Every structure is written in structure tokens, then in C-alpha cells.
Amino acid sequence: MKKGKHLIQRGLILLLGNEKTQPITLPLFAVFLSLLLGMVIIAVTGANPVNAYQNLLQGCGILPKPSYAAYKNSFTDFTGFLNAWTPMLFASLAVAVALKAGMFNIGVSGQMLISGFMASILAGYADGLSGLTAKFLVLLVGIAVGMLSGGLVGWLKYRFRVNEVVSTIMLNYILLYAVSFCIHMWYINPVSRQSAPVTQASRLTLLDVSAGGMKIDIPLGILLAIGIAFLLRFLLNRTTFGFEIRAAGKSPEAARYAGMQVGKNMVLAMMLSGSLSGLAGVTYYLGYFGSIRPKVLPAVGFDAIAVALLGNSNPAGVILSSFLISILEKGNTYMSSRSGVPGEIASVITGILLLVSACTGYIRYRINRLKECGPNTEEKGRKGRRGAQSV
């Protein structure tokens, strides 16, 4: 038994002990462990875990389905998946930027909502605009409104020391009920009970485009999202502004002692985070969807917290982690219908992934301790404590 335990410890040290590669290996370990636990849960429900995960990938268009409806194939499913992935990627980058600055932006959902609503009424309902002008205006409004809402949170913390967790949660509900009131008063669709649909010229997704005999939805924002992710990576790792944000996030006192304007950087970081939330909002409400459902906050903003933690707040890591979470969200329906797995299982796996990701810091500590002191450290420590107690 002890030999088996020591072998496992040595294996973990070999796989996860390199401090240079831990930012990559630890998230991968979290994903592996979460998917493994997910397989156990699926097996408990009586379904085949391998088939369930296969159906999950088929629902996203990564693997082909056994059959398709007219004008559909695996590529049409994959472009639909990209359409859902776009706002998730933007929202996750918003959380990651705030985390780099030492702040927890839980208000991404509210910032998405107000940005999508303002873009809808200022550009989405405007007639006579060309497609290019309308789409540019939608992006501009989304960035501006998201920047203002995020900057407000940063300013409240800088000026009045209001904790950003409290302020973002409160703003989520303030914006939710304010937007819902406006929709019910002036923009309600009496049939769908959602906001009136925006014009096709303002949609950030091209719907039912004919290509090779297929009809596909083309998300225009996905390339922008990936490009911004790499731009953020350069900004955070290669510029003075990025260095000051990371320094303020790790140790505000040390950054202040070094002459950095911590309060200013805090506000700027939240403005940047809010602008990304705004882009998530417009690609969600004027891209993936064409309207807003009143009294509902987008779950994307909360799922983005798990994505950012899993990606270690690294923009490149966020691309991969948001891709994975989007697979769970998008392929869930097909997995449930084909395998008979309850639809909530994907949410359970996402929750497990968040829980394991939150423990990666502790896992890193234990692995490094085992590497420094050897696998027998805990056993020797227990014997030493028992000997001291007997004395």
C-alpha cells in the first residue's frame, strides 16, 4: 500500500514538478481529473461515458453525427459552435484581465447585458444603416458602454474602497431590472416576450449563408476575439502598462512603493475588462442571439470565471479553456438526447472543473513540497509528532 502511494507521489512529481511548465501541466491535470470524475458520474447514471463524450463532440461539430437534416453537416454544427464560443472567449478574457490586476470581476454578466441593450437601441434598431456601418457602430457602443460600467467598479474601489465583488454583484441586479423595465415598457416583442429583434444589418453573425449546398452561420467576431487574446498577451507581458497591472495585482503595497499609480492602474484595468465584457455582450445579444430575454442574466458571464481560472488568467490559456467549456455547453443537448444523460451533467462537470481549478494553487504547493522534501516527508512528520506526544 505504501509502495503504491509512493509510486503515485513520484509520478505526480515527474508530471507536475517542473515549475516552468506548471502553468500548463496543472490546468491540464485539472481538466483530466474533472473529465475522469465526469465519466464516473455518467457511469452512475447508467450511460456509457465514452459514448457520452463522443456525443458531446458530435454536438459541437468536432466529430460527425450519424445523420443530418437538410442543408446541414458537421461544418454547419462547428460554425454554430464557433458562434457560441465567441462571447464566451470575450467574457473569459474580461475576467482574466481583472484577475491579473488583483480584482474579481463578477459583474461580467451585467456588463454584457447593458452593453447589448445599449447597442440594440442605438444601432440594432436603426433603419437605413449599411451592414458595415451598423456592425461597426454595434462594436463601438459595446466597447464604450462596457468600458464605462467596468470603470465605474474600478473607480468605486479606488475612491471609496468599495470591494469589487460587492459592487459588481449589486450592479448585476441593478442593470438587470433596469434593462428589463425598459424592454417591457418600450421594446417588448408581444409574441416571444423578449426584446424586439435587431436588424440583420447590425447582426454580428451572418445567418443561413449558402456555401457548398449548405446553410451555415458565420460568426464575424471569432477572429476578432482570438486576435484580441494575443494582443492582450502582448500587452500584459511586454508593455509597461501590463507590468504595472500585474505588479499591482500581486502586491499593491510594493507597486505603490515603486512609484506606480496603483489606483489609476486599477481603474484602467477594470475599464479594459469592461470593454471586453461589452464585446462579449454584443456578440452574444447581437450575434449569437438577436434579442434580449428580460430578467435573465447571461450564464456566460459566470461560466467565464471558471474559464479564466482554468486558463490561469493567461490569454493563450483562456483560448483553450473557453474552447473546452464551450464544448460542454454546446454539445450538452445532443449528448443528452443521444446518450440519455441528464442535461445537468455538463453543468456538474463544469462545476467540478471550477472546483479543481480553484485547488491548483494547493496542488502546486503540495507537489513542490514533495519535490523538495521527498515522498516520505509526511510519514516522517507523523512519526515525529507521535514521538513528541508520547514524550
Side-chain angles (χ1 to χ4, degrees):
M1 187 70 177
K2 291 181 180 179
K3 289 183 179 179
K5 180 181 178 181
H6 293 162
L7 286 175
I8 293 175
Q9 290 176 342
R10 290 191 180 95
L12 290 175
I13 292 173
L14 181 62
L15 292 174
L16 308 175
N18 190 331
E19 295 185 10
K20 292 183 179 180
T21 60
Q22 278 181 347
I24 298 175
T25 56
L26 285 176
L28 290 177
F29 177 73
V31 171
F32 171 77
L33 187 59
S34 302
L35 294 179
L36 187 62
L37 291 173
M39 293 181 71
V40 174
I41 295 173
I42 292 173
V44 170
T45 64
N48 187 321
V50 176
N51 290 341
Y53 281 158
Q54 180 183 7
N55 296 148
L56 197 68
L57 296 176
Q58 288 174 333
C60 300
I62 298 176
L63 294 178
K65 295 177 182 177
S67 61
Y68 292 92
Y71 306 108
K72 300 290 182 181
N73 61 11
S74 59
F75 184 66
T76 60
D77 287 343
F78 185 69
T79 55
F81 163 75
L82 293 180
N83 199 15
W85 180 34
T86 304
M88 174 66 79
L89 179 52
F90 275 127
S92 305
L93 291 172
V95 177
V97 168
L99 288 175
K100 284 290 187 182
M103 303 182 70
F104 210 165
N105 188 2
I106 306 181
V108 171
S109 291
Q111 293 157 13
M112 287 176 61
L113 181 61
I114 188 61
S115 299
F117 176 69
M118 294 303 298
S120 296
I121 63 176
L122 294 177
Y125 298 144
D127 294 326
L129 294 178
S130 65
L132 184 61
T133 302
K135 290 175 175 58
F136 177 77
L137 187 58
V138 164
L139 293 173
L140 186 63
V141 172
I143 292 172
V145 175
M147 186 180 294
L148 290 174
S149 57
L152 174 62
V153 174
W155 180 77
L156 288 173
K157 182 164 186 177
Y158 164 65
R159 184 68 178 83
F160 300 106
R161 297 294 184 268
V162 178
N163 187 282
E164 73 278 3
V165 174
V166 176
S167 61
T168 49
I169 290 176
M170 295 299 101
L171 281 173
N172 273 345
Y173 289 100
I174 292 171
L175 295 174
L176 171 65
Y177 290 115
V179 169
S180 298
F181 172 79
C182 293
I183 290 175
H184 281 297
M185 287 295 295
W186 298 293
Y187 303 104
I188 194 70
N189 185 318
V191 178
S192 65
R193 304 307 299 172
Q194 299 186 19
S195 67
V198 298
T199 62
Q200 291 298 318
S202 64
R203 287 288 293 268
L204 297 178
T205 299
L206 303 180
L207 302 175
D208 294 332
V209 176
S210 297
M214 299 290 119
K215 291 185 177 180
I216 61 176
D217 298 336
I218 302 177
L220 301 178
I222 185 59
L223 294 180
L224 177 64
I226 295 175
I228 287 179
F230 285 102
L231 182 62
L232 279 176
R233 187 173 184 272
F234 174 81
L235 178 69
L236 293 172
N237 297 332
R238 294 288 186 267
T239 65
T240 303
F241 173 66
F243 173 76
E244 290 185 354
I245 285 180
R246 290 185 289 113
K250 290 182 178 179
S251 178
E253 292 78 11
R256 193 176 289 109
Y257 181 78
M260 301 178 188
Q261 297 180 329
V262 175
K264 174 186 174 182
N265 291 328
M266 189 183 300
V267 175
L268 290 176
M270 284 305 299
M271 290 177 67
L272 179 58
S273 176
S275 65
L276 293 167
S277 299
L279 287 171
V282 295
T283 53
Y284 186 77
Y285 289 115
L286 291 93
Y288 188 49
F289 293 107
S291 61
I292 300 173
R293 185 180 177 185
K295 295 184 180 180
V296 175
L297 285 170
V300 171
F302 299 110
D303 293 339
I305 298 172
V307 173
L309 291 173
L310 180 62
N312 202 27
S313 301
N314 185 312
V318 166
I319 292 177
L320 300 177
S321 58
S322 62
F323 190 85
L324 173 62
I325 297 295
S326 296
I327 289 176
L328 294 174
E329 296 293 331
K330 186 65 176 177
N332 177 38
T333 303
Y334 187 76
M335 179 184 70
S336 179
S337 63
R338 291 286 298 183
S339 300
V341 177
E344 294 78 11
I345 292 297
S347 299
V348 171
I349 297 174
T350 303
I352 293 174
L353 194 55
L354 174 58
L355 180 62
V356 176
S357 299
C359 297
T360 52
Y362 176 74
I363 296 172
R364 180 186 293 110
Y365 164 76
R366 298 303 301 175
I367 293 296
N368 292 340
R369 183 172 174 80
L370 285 173
K371 186 177 65 173
E372 293 171 0
C373 305
N376 297 322
T377 303
E378 292 187 5
E379 184 178 348
K380 292 178 181 178
R382 285 194 296 269
K383 289 181 179 179
R385 287 192 295 270
R386 284 197 297 267
Q389 290 173 358
S390 63
V391 173

